[in-house]
Amino acid sequence: MSSFQRVISRIPWAYTFRRLLIAIPTMLAIITMAFLMMRAAPGGPFDGERKLPPATEAAIAAKFGFDKPLHEQYLSYVGGVVTGDFGPSYKTLGKSVNDLIADGLPISLTIGFLSMGLGIAVGTLLGVFAGLRQNSAADYGVMGIAMAGISIPTFVTGPILILIFALGAGIFAVGGLGTYPNIGMNWHNMTLPVITLALPQIAIISRLMRASIIETMRSNHIRTARSKGLTERQVIARHALPSALLPLISYAGPAMARVMTGSVVIEKIFGLPGLGSYFVDGALNRDYTLVMGAIIVYAGLIVLLNLVADILYALLDPKVKYD
Amino acid sequence: MTDLDPLLDPTGRIEPVQNAIIGGRSLWEDARARLFRNRAAVVSMWILGFLILFAVVGPFVWVHKYSTISDLRTIAPTLEGLHPLGTDLQGRDLLARLMIGLRISLMVGIVATAVSLVIGVSWGATAGYLGGRVDNFMMRIVDVLYALPFIFFVILLLTVFERNIVLIFAAIGAIEWLTMARIVRGQTLAIKGKEFIEAARASGVSRMDIIVRHILPNVIGPVAVYVTLTIPVVILAESFLSFLGLGVNEPLTSLGVLISDGAHRMEEKPWMLLAPAVTMAVTLLCLNFIGDGLRDALDPKDR
């Protein structure tokens, strides 16, 4: 059997299928909650300062389907979402919610995945470094910094990093997608947001990895590896690290959700036109279709990433049995 | 066991053995001793105590009121006119606002955590004790809710309805109960099979009484740890909302609102950001250190 076939054979198909089945009611619950909350809102999205003539109001109601009974509106909205149509934006004229999501999502995903990658890389290194020197000065130092990383929110570290590296040293962009000649998603504009978003993840992952490596180093298979006469370096690299990394995979799903939530604030601080910015602006100006669309996309991503993390876990840990 | 005659116990070995037989120090006494040996946790408790005093008593003692507007707008920290942290855009004293802001943030932390505690513990204990199909159903609901990006719903809730502080408390509390429910359920399942529960059942104690009298007291340990670690999460959630402009209404304030105001003007007026940011970081650090200390004290095997 090739290694690819071996991997395929280990995918817990029944479990994956059942998880996908659970994802359907989850997504329906999200759509329903968002829909009901939006309809329960006092005041419609078009209540401006000025009173609109009744004819205009009727025309708007007809265009957005407010004149139909509630259950019909609900069914047509769900039908739209299932076919990938989130409807027109209430506030950004001439643009559909799909357009806005297509504009914002790539930016949010880019900073999200880059931050997660940075968080895993640095967090793992720091955690393993501290865990292998348990209760030493280096361990206490790293864990103290990690505690600070958990306790200091990103909306404090973000402005401080801007103050030092953008306004002070002038190395990176202050915010937005930059000015000529550094326009777009490049290192000049993305470094600070990515680092800011990664800091709490580095802190959490280093704590997790420290605990995990300490536990692994005490386990029987490490004692066996040592008694075979392997060097300490071989024991750590070949035997301890692979099993110590497992908890990280089950953390990755929820962590990704946390990073996506966190990116809402990061996008606000750095003025990036990502999905999070659209979401907050939409919430503040009552652009309900946009807000619902954003929530559904976020929820879908979170459900999907959790599923991927769980399947990966099953692939890598031979002890896990899903039934 | 202090009245043991040294002549009867010359080796000093009888006392520990006797203690072991009659129970000796309880789990809680042990845990307390371990907690007080943890230097980081003890220092954190002192600092936190001082911060609570600062937030609760400070506003009554301090010469300026947090809502008094004056002509001295955005002045730098000065002792002239007693503005050690300067003033904000409306000329309000920033020390007074910091005290009130910290008070609101701590209140959010405590009240919202209490909400999550009540929901989570009753949900988890019921599911764990009843077991079977009911348990399965209740925990599936928790699984489904786990996947929801709740903070987005809170944002939606706060934009759709009139913002008020009670809604913020309840909404944040309602999103943090899920992990609590899982912890309590797990503990309940473990305790349920023990003999003393069987004895209670055999002597005709009702289900409700068994849960309240026998199960809940035995899940307090892990729950206490989780509660201490939830408070900083909740304070962060509130300041997250405040930062996005969805927090408490003026003239009230919270640490998140103060940080947000400060961050907008940090270039010219860095002190407006510095004081609330440091206060927030110190508060959260203390709570996290106490939570960690408590966990290590109650569950020493991970040390």
Side-chain angles (χ1 to χ4, degrees):
Chain A
M1 235 184 351
S2 75
S3 65
F4 178 71
Q5 278 172 317
R6 209 170 318 138
V7 166
I8 294 289
S9 74
R10 273 200 55 75
I11 292 182
W13 291 109
Y15 173 75
T16 308
F17 186 67
R18 227 192 30 225
R19 282 289 303 269
L20 279 174
L21 276 186
I22 293 180
I24 294 169
T26 307
M27 292 307 294
L28 262 181
I30 290 164
I31 296 172
T32 311
M33 269 170 74
F35 182 84
L36 289 179
M37 226 184 245
M38 171 175 115
R39 292 294 164 207
F46 302 106
D47 295 352
E49 316 276 283
R50 210 148 46 86
K51 191 89 188 84
L52 295 170
T56 317
E57 262 188 21
I60 290 177
K63 183 181 173 209
F64 290 101
F66 293 146
D67 52 347
K68 297 203 193 83
L70 195 63
H71 66 273
E72 270 181 43
Q73 291 181 34
Y74 175 68
L75 287 179
S76 80
Y77 186 76
V78 173
V81 170
V82 169
T83 53
D85 176 16
F86 293 103
S89 161
Y90 284 172
K91 288 287 151 98
T92 314
L93 291 174
K95 279 215 167 192
S96 70
V97 173
N98 287 36
D99 295 338
L100 295 174
I101 290 175
D103 285 348
L105 192 59
I107 296 176
S108 298
L109 284 181
T110 307
I111 57 172
F113 279 110
L114 286 177
S115 307
M116 202 59 222
L118 188 65
I120 290 175
V122 180
T124 306
L125 276 177
L126 284 178
V128 171
F129 174 81
L132 292 176
R133 291 159 187 76
Q134 195 186 358
N135 295 336
S136 69
D139 179 25
Y140 286 130
V142 171
M143 284 305 110
I145 295 169
M147 191 63 113
I150 290 176
S151 302
I152 303 174
T154 48
F155 48 81
V156 172
T157 45
I160 290 173
L161 287 178
I162 293 178
L163 203 56
I164 298 173
F165 293 103
L167 296 168
I171 306 172
F172 301 115
V174 172
L177 283 179
T179 47
Y180 181 80
N182 286 310
I183 301 171
M185 288 195 270
N186 53 39
W187 63 271
H188 186 256
N189 304 325
M190 304 303 265
T191 307
L192 287 186
V194 167
I195 290 180
T196 309
L197 190 52
L199 284 176
Q201 293 310 316
I202 293 175
I204 296 172
I205 290 172
S206 64
R207 281 163 61 96
L208 189 81
M209 282 309 295
R210 173 185 180 269
S212 174
I213 197 95
I214 288 174
E215 206 188 314
T216 311
M217 291 306 278
R218 288 198 201 123
S219 63
N220 289 333
H221 79 276
I222 296 300
R223 200 174 312 148
T224 313
R226 281 205 182 112
S227 64
K228 282 197 303 190
L230 295 182
T231 62
E232 196 61 18
R233 186 181 288 267
Q234 285 173 315
V235 169
I236 292 166
R238 291 212 205 127
H239 298 269
L241 268 184
S243 45
L245 281 170
L246 280 175
L248 187 59
I249 294 163
S250 51
Y251 171 70
M256 210 49 220
R258 217 178 281 202
V259 165
M260 295 311 285
T261 318
S263 90
V264 174
V265 163
I266 299 293
E267 286 165 27
K268 272 317 231 191
I269 296 171
F270 290 93
L272 292 170
L275 187 58
S277 288
Y278 285 128
F279 172 73
V280 174
D281 293 342
L284 292 173
N285 348 290
R286 308 193 157 215
D287 188 343
Y288 295 135
T289 41
L290 175 58
V291 171
M292 286 173 62
I295 288 186
I296 292 166
V297 170
Y298 275 125
L301 270 175
I302 291 170
V303 169
L304 188 73
L305 290 167
N306 271 320
L307 181 66
V308 171
D310 283 352
I311 293 173
L312 216 60
Y313 195 81
L315 279 176
L316 295 175
D317 188 353
K319 278 181 290 187
V320 176
K321 280 270 182 292
Y322 293 100
D323 43 21
Chain B
M1 293 296 103
T2 43
D3 51 354
L4 266 184
D5 191 334
L7 283 177
L8 290 176
D9 185 14
T11 55
R13 283 187 193 143
I14 297 176
E15 191 185 316
V17 171
Q18 276 194 340
N19 276 345
I21 293 167
I22 23 176
R25 287 197 302 175
S26 76
L27 169 75
W28 289 101
E29 283 169 279
D30 247 11
R32 195 181 314 143
R34 267 196 297 267
L35 183 63
F36 283 115
R37 269 203 307 273
N38 182 332
R39 221 175 308 150
V42 173
V43 171
S44 297
M45 279 190 265
W46 277 103
I47 297 176
L48 192 65
F50 172 74
L51 283 172
I52 291 172
L53 206 69
F54 175 73
V56 175
V57 182
F60 296 114
V61 183
W62 185 234
V63 287
H64 300 290
K65 214 172 161 301
Y66 72 94
S67 53
T68 309
I69 293 169
S70 77
D71 290 334
L72 299 166
R73 295 193 185 91
T74 58
I75 56 167
T78 168
L79 285 179
E80 209 174 307
L82 282 175
H83 295 295
L85 295 181
T87 58
D88 70 0
L89 288 178
Q90 276 85 43
R92 296 174 292 200
D93 180 54
L94 276 175
L95 179 60
R97 291 188 69 68
L98 184 65
M99 290 171 178
I100 284 292
L102 180 61
R103 184 196 277 186
I104 296 287
S105 287
L106 288 172
M107 252 169 73
V108 171
I110 293 166
V111 175
T113 304
V115 171
S116 76
L117 182 71
V118 170
I119 307 178
V121 169
S122 35
W123 193 274
T126 311
Y129 185 72
L130 295 181
R133 217 174 278 166
V134 182
D135 174 34
N136 219 334
F137 178 71
M138 288 175 86
M139 293 327 279
R140 274 302 89 72
I141 291 179
V142 172
D143 287 347
V144 169
L145 293 179
Y146 237 92
L148 300 190
F150 259 114
I151 197 80
F152 296 126
F153 279 98
V154 174
I155 293 174
L156 191 58
L157 199 71
L158 291 174
T159 49
V160 161
F161 297 103
E162 190 87 6
R163 283 212 314 272
N164 68 54
I165 202 165
V166 178
L167 185 65
I168 297 175
F169 285 172
I172 298 176
I175 63 179
E176 291 295 339
W177 64 273
L178 298 167
T179 311
M180 189 83 78
R182 282 189 172 172
I183 293 174
V184 172
R185 171 182 173 267
Q187 288 287 311
T188 308
L189 279 177
I191 292 164
K192 193 168 83 167
K194 297 263 164 73
E195 288 84 353
F196 72 97
I197 300 290
E198 205 139 327
R201 211 169 12 222
S203 53
V205 181
S206 74
R207 275 181 177 184
M208 192 65 198
D209 273 354
I210 290 181
I211 292 180
V212 174
R213 292 250 195 89
H214 298 288
I215 293 194
L216 288 187
N218 284 295
V219 301
I220 284 178
V223 167
V225 172
Y226 189 69
V227 162
T228 345
L229 294 172
T230 302
I231 295 174
V233 172
V234 167
I235 292 179
L236 265 181
E238 188 277 332
S239 51
F240 177 92
L241 294 173
S242 291
F243 188 82
L244 297 176
L246 295 164
V248 292
N249 285 320
E250 288 281 319
L252 266 187
T253 188
S254 74
L255 290 179
V257 176
L258 290 171
I259 290 172
S260 169
D261 287 350
H264 286 127
R265 277 162 208 91
M266 60 175 180
E267 261 178 273
E268 330 84 90
K269 314 202 184 315
W271 72 87
M272 282 184 72
L273 173 65
L274 201 63
V278 169
T279 310
M280 174 121 188
V282 170
T283 309
L284 296 183
L285 264 175
C286 289
L287 284 163
N288 279 326
F289 273 125
I290 295 171
D292 266 17
L294 209 56
R295 186 186 52 211
D296 293 342
L298 284 167
D299 187 11
K301 76 171 164 19
D302 285 342
R303 276 297 276 175

